[in-house]
Amino acid sequence: MSQDSDTEAKFLANVTDSMNKLMKELHELYEFRDLFFENHPIEMAAEKNQRLEELKKVLAEKFEEIDDSKLPSAERAKFLYMKGRTYNISRTYDARATECLSKAVKLNPHFVEAWNELGECYWKNMNVKEAKASFEGALKHQRNRLSLRCLSIILRQEIGPRKRSEVIPTILKSVELAKEAVTQDIKDGVSWSVLGNAYLCQFFTVAQDPATLKLCMSAYKQAALDPIAKGQPDLYYNEGIALKYSEQYSEALEKFSYACRLDPSWAPPRQESSRVLSFTQAATTLVRTRGKLKAKRLATMVQSIDKKMLGMYSEGSLHSFGRGREVALELVRLDALQEGNNEAKVVLGKVVGSIHNDNSVPFTFAMVDESMECILVTVYNWADGRGAIIGDCVTLPEPQLTSHKVDSELAKYEFKSIRVNNPMVLLVNGKRVGRNQVASTCVTSTYEAH
């Protein structure tokens, strides 16, 4: 009798114990992957995938020694599921996993775990249609967090170049699915991470509202409490994106740096880190040099500032800004602004330059006034192709001022900025920014692993 035949005979002689042993080894394999950084120093990150593939090969060979056709139907479905799950542990697609899992769900159409695993196989192979069908198939039998959160991601990936009226309901549905996944197990950090990503996508597609970013950050904070989620680089990458658009640039760089350490071969965190560094350096230069405008031109621009450009925000005019009580506005110089919200104040200045952003979010320019103070202005929800140009006169009511000053190993920058969430509060050359200039859909992608 050959060694393979002997192994198979022993397996079949006591199927239950043999299956339990394989299940234990499969659990240990996933534990090695998911809790790698709980048990190994981060300096070993570059070795993780290679070591995982070696362990996968050893376990896969044990499954391959068994002829599953000799197993009882119920046990065969479970065996094929475990075998497929072993193949599917890799980051990249393995066709053997799809083959095993397809057989498993045919043998047992109510096998929720197998449907979910099959969905992940299709997903890795970029077959979104079949992946969606698999997760929906699982949900027909049981509402479960894995199917829910995966469908949440798929809905966002399916958006494409749709009309805004179609996109918004899809994104909000994605958020609801992610929320439901969290309620299934509030300690599952991966579900929290997916919810954070859903909120991040909502920020870009529905409205660039800082309140949405706060929800996003809160979800990521919950995710980091889970040992499995906190070992995944995508958590820190996406958290870095949220911090970037919260204009917490130093913290964003730290998250991107940590994501790089967790997976040195993964490029997106390095790319985003480079973008943040480029932006902060450009902001520092733009503000320090006042757009590199020659002194004579700059002086002429400042002298041409006319209080008539205050328009509807003229001194003494009453405005409520949604607070339910009206305040009389006071014109102040840029150098008189205080950190934080400058209630009942209005500033008026000239645009001296702008910074290009890859996805046009936010529209960023610098302005000066008679004080010669130069401050960066970041405007969200301003449609691509719109915005102020050099020489434009901009009026800003109740500016929210933030000072950015960092000198660390990761970055060095210094500038002040004003964040504007609604471009319609701005006046450009005395005229209010029209509703037709408010941004429509602008989608960013998030990397998600599970």
Side-chain angles (χ1 to χ4, degrees):
M1 182 181 288
S2 69
Q3 185 176 348
D4 285 357
S5 299
D6 186 47
T7 301
E8 182 178 273
K10 289 179 180 178
F11 185 94
L12 295 173
N14 197 336
V15 173
T16 301
D17 286 349
S18 299
M19 291 279 282
N20 287 339
K21 185 179 178 182
L22 282 176
M23 179 61 83
K24 182 175 181 292
E25 291 185 48
L26 178 60
H27 175 76
E28 289 171 350
L29 180 65
Y30 271 82
E31 196 171 66
F32 174 85
R33 184 194 72 175
D34 296 337
L35 298 175
F36 185 84
F37 296 107
E38 293 291 298
N39 303 305
H40 302 83
I42 198 168
E43 289 75 19
M44 292 181 66
E47 302 175 31
K48 177 184 174 182
N49 289 332
Q50 181 181 343
R51 293 183 63 181
L52 180 64
E53 289 301 315
E54 291 169 355
L55 293 172
K56 167 188 170 179
K57 183 179 179 182
V58 171
L59 183 56
E61 287 174 351
K62 293 182 180 181
F63 279 102
E64 289 161 1
E65 289 174 346
I66 310 302
D67 180 358
D68 62 86
S69 65
K70 297 179 181 179
L71 294 171
S73 179
E75 295 298 327
R76 187 185 180 197
K78 185 177 179 182
F79 178 89
L80 287 166
Y81 161 71
M82 292 192 297
K83 186 177 180 180
R85 187 161 161 76
T86 301
Y87 290 135
N88 200 35
I89 197 168
S90 303
R91 181 189 299 177
T92 54
Y93 174 70
D94 189 327
R96 296 174 298 178
T98 306
E99 182 182 354
C100 291
L101 294 161
S102 296
K103 290 179 181 178
V105 295
K106 285 179 181 177
L107 288 166
N108 182 1
H110 300 278
F111 201 161
V112 171
E113 292 83 358
W115 277 115
N116 282 331
E117 201 70 34
L118 181 59
E120 293 202 32
C121 286
Y122 285 129
W123 194 355
K124 288 178 183 177
N125 198 33
M126 306 299 288
N127 189 339
V128 177
K129 182 179 179 181
E130 291 298 331
K132 185 177 182 180
S134 297
F135 294 128
E136 289 175 339
L139 286 176
K140 288 178 182 177
H141 304 293
Q142 180 187 352
R143 302 295 287 185
N144 67 93
R145 66 185 187 277
L146 202 152
S147 300
L148 290 164
R149 72 192 185 209
C150 288
L151 281 174
S152 170
I153 300 169
I154 286 174
L155 281 178
R156 284 178 266 131
Q157 292 181 338
E158 283 185 325
I159 290 173
R162 295 187 188 178
K163 294 180 180 178
R164 182 174 173 79
S165 59
E166 297 174 349
V167 167
I168 291 178
T170 301
I171 293 302
L172 296 180
K173 176 65 174 176
S174 168
V175 171
E176 289 306 310
L177 287 171
K179 284 182 179 178
E180 187 181 349
V182 166
T183 62
Q184 295 273 329
D185 182 357
I186 61 171
K187 293 184 178 180
D188 187 330
V190 178
S191 294
W192 278 109
S193 182
V194 171
L195 177 58
N197 296 345
Y199 281 133
L200 186 58
C201 198
Q202 180 181 329
F203 171 79
F204 282 97
T205 56
V206 179
Q208 292 155 25
D209 185 348
T212 305
L213 287 179
K214 287 183 179 179
L215 291 171
C216 181
M217 296 301 299
S218 178
Y220 291 144
K221 186 176 181 180
Q222 290 294 323
L225 298 176
D226 178 7
I228 293 177
K230 78 175 186 180
Q232 295 185 356
D234 65 295
L235 171 62
Y236 303 95
Y237 170 75
N238 289 316
E239 191 175 4
I241 295 290
L243 285 163
K244 171 185 172 181
Y245 290 102
S246 297
E247 301 189 357
Q248 299 177 55
Y249 305 114
S250 178
E251 293 86 346
L253 288 169
E254 289 174 3
K255 297 298 180 181
F256 294 140
S257 175
Y258 194 66
C260 287
R261 293 182 68 197
L262 288 174
D263 189 348
S265 65
W266 189 35
R270 290 195 303 276
Q271 294 166 347
E272 278 300 331
S273 183
S274 178
R275 290 188 184 104
V276 172
L277 286 171
S278 295
F279 175 82
T280 53
Q281 289 165 5
T284 300
T285 301
L286 178 61
V287 168
R288 187 185 70 248
T289 64
R290 301 184 182 90
K292 296 183 179 179
L293 296 181
K294 292 183 178 180
K296 186 176 180 181
R297 184 184 179 191
L298 186 62
T300 301
M301 285 175 60
V302 169
Q303 289 168 9
S304 69
I305 296 175
D306 189 340
K307 287 187 178 181
K308 290 180 180 179
M309 293 295 105
L310 287 171
M312 60 186 287
Y313 298 129
S314 59
E315 287 192 276
S317 60
L318 298 175
H319 298 271
S320 65
F321 298 109
R323 284 194 299 267
R325 61 183 180 83
E326 293 186 329
V327 294
L329 293 177
E330 175 192 359
L331 176 64
V332 297
R333 299 188 343 171
L334 290 173
D335 62 352
L337 293 177
Q338 297 181 347
E339 187 82 7
N341 188 38
N342 288 266
E343 189 174 321
K345 310 296 183 189
V346 61
V347 292
L348 177 65
K350 286 277 189 174
V351 176
V352 295
S354 61
I355 299 174
H356 172 73
N357 287 311
D358 290 342
N359 62 355
S360 303
V361 180
F363 180 83
T364 306
F365 64 90
M367 62 185 285
V368 298
D369 67 1
E370 61 185 23
S371 70
M372 285 299 177
E373 177 89 352
C374 188
I375 290 180
L376 201 72
V377 181
T378 54
V379 187
Y380 294 79
N381 297 292
W382 211 346
D384 189 15
R386 305 288 183 167
I389 61 174
I390 295 175
D392 278 348
C393 199
V394 175
T395 307
L396 264 169
E398 299 203 325
Q400 182 86 23
L401 184 71
T402 303
S403 296
H404 306 271
K405 185 176 182 180
V406 169
D407 188 353
S408 69
E409 292 181 1
L410 293 175
K412 183 177 182 179
Y413 56 84
E414 182 176 4
F415 58 92
K416 293 179 180 179
S417 71
I418 295 170
R419 181 183 181 120
V420 180
N421 295 311
N422 180 5
M424 291 180 66
V425 304
L426 294 175
L427 299 186
V428 179
N429 299 322
K431 296 180 180 179
R432 189 173 186 174
V433 172
R435 189 174 296 276
N436 64 325
Q437 294 187 38
V438 175
S440 55
T441 303
C442 180
V443 181
T444 188
S445 60
T446 52
Y447 170 87
E448 301 183 74
H450 50 280

